[in-house]
């Protein structure tokens, strides 16, 4: 009986693997954001205050299928991804406040 209850509980809270994001921006250890970290189910709520102040954090958190293109684009000056990466660096230099 306990096994059935466990299975029912697992069905109520399935993990949404289709919403896995990978953060492609620079390391921000004080904020807990590290380059190439994947987040299943989207970015954690703890990052919301930082995203409000620096929307580029969300913009450089991409689905797995966009990872290669995003990482390439970050290296090309003039692309949106490069600009977002620089915005995150500037935000971090300000202490993330």
């Amino acid at each position: 009986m306990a096994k059935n209850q466990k299975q029912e509980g697992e069905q109520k809270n399935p993990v949404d693997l289709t919403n896995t994001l990978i953060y492609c921006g620079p390391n921000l250890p004080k904020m807990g954001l590290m380059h190439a970290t994947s987040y299943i189910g989207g970015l954690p709520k703890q990052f919301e205050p930082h995203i409000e102040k620096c929307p580029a954090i969300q913009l450089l958190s991409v689905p797995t299928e966009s990872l290669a293109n995003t990482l390439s684009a970050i290296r090309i000056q003039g692309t949106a991804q490069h600009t977002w990466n620089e915005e995150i660096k500037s935000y971090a230099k300000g202490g993330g406040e």
Side-chain angles (χ1 to χ4, degrees):
M1 185 174 211
K3 186 176 180 181
N4 288 341
Q5 288 174 342
K6 184 177 179 183
Q7 287 175 345
E8 287 176 18
E10 289 173 355
Q11 291 173 355
K12 290 180 184 178
N13 297 316
V15 176
D16 182 7
L17 296 176
T18 61
N19 191 23
T20 298
L21 297 177
I22 301 175
Y23 172 68
C24 297
N27 287 332
L28 304 173
K30 290 181 181 178
M31 295 175 226
L33 273 170
M34 301 303 285
H35 177 78
T37 301
S38 60
Y39 297 96
I40 298 170
L43 291 175
K45 293 195 181 295
Q46 71 188 38
F47 300 131
E48 286 179 2
H50 297 294
I51 292 169
E52 287 176 17
K53 295 174 186 172
C54 183
I57 293 169
Q58 177 71 48
L59 296 170
L60 281 184
S61 300
V62 300
T64 53
E65 60 270 8
S66 301
L67 178 62
N69 289 339
T70 300
L71 293 175
S72 294
I74 285 172
R75 290 185 234 125
I76 301 170
Q77 193 168 6
T79 63
Q81 292 85 348
H82 181 270
T83 302
W84 298 333
N85 197 57
E86 295 302 312
E87 287 175 9
I88 295 169
K89 287 179 186 178
S90 294
Y91 175 69
K93 284 182 183 175
E97 299 298 328

